Amino acid sequence: MGQICIASVRNGHLIEDTTRDACSVPVSEIIAVEETDVHGKHHSSGKWQKMEKPYAFTVHCVKRARRHRWKWAQVTFWCPEEQLCHLWLQTLREMLEKLTSRPKHLLVFINPFGGKGQGKRIYERKVAPLFTLASITTDIIVTEHANQAKETLYEINMEKYDGIVCVGGDGMFSEVLHGLIGRTQRSAGVDQNHPRAVLVPSSLRIGIIPAGSTDCVCYSTVGTSDAETSALHIVVGDSLAMDVSSVHHNSTLLRYSVSLLGYGFYGDIIKDSEKKRWLGLARYDFSGLKTFLSHHCYEGTVSFLPAQHTVGSPRDGKPCRAGCFVCRQSRQQLEDEQKKALYGLEAAEDVEEWQVVCGKFLAINATNMSCACRRSPRGLSPAAHLGDGSSDLILIRKCSRFNFLRFLIRHTNQQDQFDFTFVEVYRVKKFQFTSKHVEDEDSDLKEGGKKRFGHICSGHPSCCCAVSSSSWNCDGEVLHSPAIEVRVHCQLVRLFARGIEETAKPDSHS
């Protein structure tokens, strides 16, 4: 720092001007401010110099690092007078108090078993100190068995909390998600089992501290799976609305999904890996190789309602970013569409809008987000949007093992993974799937499909597969039903996140 500092606030930024350099700290990204004990000395131009009466305050704030990571940084501001120093402290604290989006009291669930079993250690070392610094109080529950977080959220008094934090992987987040959505619908008197029920959004946000094996949701919403970064997003009170898909079978809710619904390849992987949990994280690689070599394909029918309200498309090359225009505009157009349907100006689900695709598939994937992770930085659908009220439906038809490998490899590089003749991608609001060999218990869905839809199977004649069905991979959990009905609920939940920032250059101060 320079010897004399003149600090000011301009347009929500704390500005520091010195004789050598300058830095700007957004007030919205200040964690806390505190008086600094300088002991009569400070550093300038490489030398320690005496000041008659030095006074200083330290601003704890966010510093941007590489690859979308945030770091906890400290900037010290020097004042020539004690009264001026105290005035700055008082003014900044008052400004922070006015940031009403910041949480004061959080409910924290820690999964001590997820990933490499480092959840508790990560929270204590990287998260708890930041919460303490920001004067955030917490109630901590270290889970002891599966679904404990979900069960707790159904019973606990939620009114005293400003949000929920889950420390773990995607499975832990899914538990909290199901508990929060379920509790909200129960309180609102909404029947979750009704496929067309209009779900009520929760007022509480969810924070994710990544401590799992993949951390897909965190990576796709923040841009990194770094625990300190996620903790800082919670501290500054970021808010990001996110779509959720409901998955039904025979008017029964099976699960909610926020990332991947995968039948065929990804369904087979998750089903096989469940039998090899003793292998640890290596089970995913083992099961993935085994499934690829098996090269099974499955015959069925996919019926979907295109998302005509969206302003983007799966192949437009426009990824979802912080302050996303596509999400904002798509939500507005969806609301306008729903209002028209409410007043009877046009049908909400016009029969002619539905499309049907049938044939043999190696994989059927539906993604509400890019599904990016460290192994696949762009994800399964790079241009999928978090809050546009749609899902990207990806159909991979039967092809050679070599071509399927080419398709999989493109998930790890910058090439367009949809640029194959055997791959189709659609942006949809709803879809249904029925396996060709679905049993009598699913006949109601099949009959409903025959009445409503016309088949589009030109160039893909019917053929005889072996009598077999895959399972669905729903955000890492196995769904055994071969017939499902899926509906996207626009911006149903909110996270302590802001989306991936367009640019993430390191700050000038350190």
Side-chain angles (χ1 to χ4, degrees), residues 2 12 71 95 130 178 242 347 379 422:
K71 295 295 180 185
M95 294 180 75
L130 286 169
H178 280 79
M242 188 171 68
F422 55 88

Side-chain angles (χ1 to χ4, degrees), residues 470-495:
S470 179
S471 299
W472 284 93
N473 178 342
C474 181
D475 294 357
E477 298 293 329
V478 180
L479 299 182
H480 296 286
S481 174
I484 62 170
E485 182 177 353
V486 180
R487 176 181 179 182
V488 183
H489 300 268
C490 187
Q491 301 188 11
L492 185 64
V493 297
R494 290 185 301 147
L495 303 184

Side-chain angles (χ1 to χ4, degrees), residues 12 26 72 184 268 270 329 370 406 502:
W72 169 14
T184 304
D268 290 349
I270 199 67
Q329 282 294 106
S370 67
R406 290 171 61 206
E502 196 66 51

Side-chain angles (χ1 to χ4, degrees), residues 142-156:
V142 180
T143 58
E144 300 175 353
H145 58 81
N147 288 319
Q148 182 178 346
K150 177 182 175 181
E151 294 163 1
T152 301
L153 288 172
Y154 265 88
E155 302 300 330
I156 201 168

Side-chain angles (χ1 to χ4, degrees), residues 1 20 59 78 109 147 178 241 277 429 450 473-474 500:
M1 298 295 169
R20 297 184 62 215
V59 174
W78 300 89
F109 290 101
N147 288 319
H178 280 79
R277 298 190 73 88
K429 288 195 296 186
K450 288 179 182 178
N473 178 342
C474 181
I500 300 173

Side-chain angles (χ1 to χ4, degrees), residues 394-454:
I394 308 164
L395 309 179
I396 302 95
R397 290 188 182 271
K398 182 181 179 181
C399 63
S400 69
R401 187 181 282 107
F402 174 71
N403 276 337
F404 188 53
L405 178 61
R406 290 171 61 206
F407 168 74
L408 294 176
I409 289 175
R410 289 200 180 180
H411 291 81
T412 64
N413 57 38
Q414 297 296 314
Q415 291 181 284
D416 181 5
Q417 60 256 55
F418 303 136
D419 190 21
F420 292 102
T421 57
F422 55 88
V423 177
E424 302 168 30
V425 59
Y426 306 93
R427 188 150 283 177
V428 305
K429 288 195 296 186
K430 303 179 182 181
F431 76 92
Q432 296 179 358
F433 173 78
T434 308
S435 168
K436 182 184 179 185
H437 301 285
V438 68
E439 297 186 359
D440 293 340
E441 63 178 346
D442 300 320
S443 61
D444 57 336
L445 277 176
K446 290 187 70 179
E447 292 300 317
K450 288 179 182 178
K451 292 175 183 177
R452 297 171 65 188
F453 314 124

Side-chain angles (χ1 to χ4, degrees), residues 80-284:
E81 300 175 2
E82 182 178 14
Q83 185 177 1
L84 180 60
C85 183
H86 288 163
L87 179 61
W88 268 111
L89 283 168
Q90 180 184 346
T91 301
L92 287 172
R93 285 169 179 166
E94 287 176 355
M95 294 180 75
L96 293 179
E97 280 294 319
K98 293 178 181 178
L99 299 176
T100 55
S101 64
R102 296 197 171 192
K104 301 291 185 183
H105 191 46
L106 297 169
L107 175 60
V108 180
F109 290 101
I110 300 176
N111 179 3
F113 308 111
K116 297 180 180 179
Q118 297 294 309
K120 196 167 184 291
R121 180 173 175 270
I122 288 172
Y123 179 79
E124 291 173 349
R125 292 195 174 191
K126 296 187 176 183
V127 181
L130 286 169
F131 284 179
T132 300
L133 181 65
S135 301
I136 297 174
T137 57
T138 57
D139 289 339
I140 300 173
I141 298 176
V142 180
T143 58
E144 300 175 353
H145 58 81
N147 288 319
Q148 182 178 346
K150 177 182 175 181
E151 294 163 1
T152 301
L153 288 172
Y154 265 88
E155 302 300 330
I156 201 168
N157 177 16
M158 303 293 293
E159 293 182 0
K160 60 181 179 178
Y161 298 112
D162 301 312
I164 305 163
V165 175
C166 55
V167 184
D170 292 329
M172 187 63 180
F173 169 76
S174 183
E175 265 197 51
V176 171
L177 176 84
H178 280 79
L180 184 59
I181 294 177
R183 171 68 178 267
T184 304
Q185 306 322 305
R186 188 182 69 177
S187 299
V190 175
D191 180 9
Q192 297 181 86
N193 287 317
H194 197 298
R196 296 189 181 184
V198 178
L199 302 184
V200 177
S202 172
S203 59
L204 294 180
R205 286 168 287 175
I206 303 175
I208 308 172
I209 302 299
S213 53
T214 306
D215 301 313
C216 170
V217 178
C218 187
Y219 199 101
S220 297
T221 55
V222 177
T224 179
S225 52
D226 174 64
E228 182 179 355
T229 300
S230 294
L232 288 169
H233 278 280
I234 295 170
V235 166
V236 302
D238 278 337
S239 184
L240 177 68
M242 188 171 68
D243 297 339
V244 177
S245 289
S246 57
V247 185
H248 286 81
H249 169 69
N250 282 356
S251 297
T252 299
L253 176 70
L254 300 181
R255 285 188 73 83
Y256 292 109
S257 171
V258 296
S259 54
L260 170 67
L261 263 172
Y263 185 83
F265 182 71
Y266 288 103
D268 290 349
I269 288 177
I270 199 67
K271 184 178 180 179
D272 187 74
S273 68
E274 284 298 299
K275 305 172 185 175
K276 299 176 176 62
R277 298 190 73 88
W278 54 273
L279 279 174
L281 298 180
R283 68 185 185 272
Y284 298 114

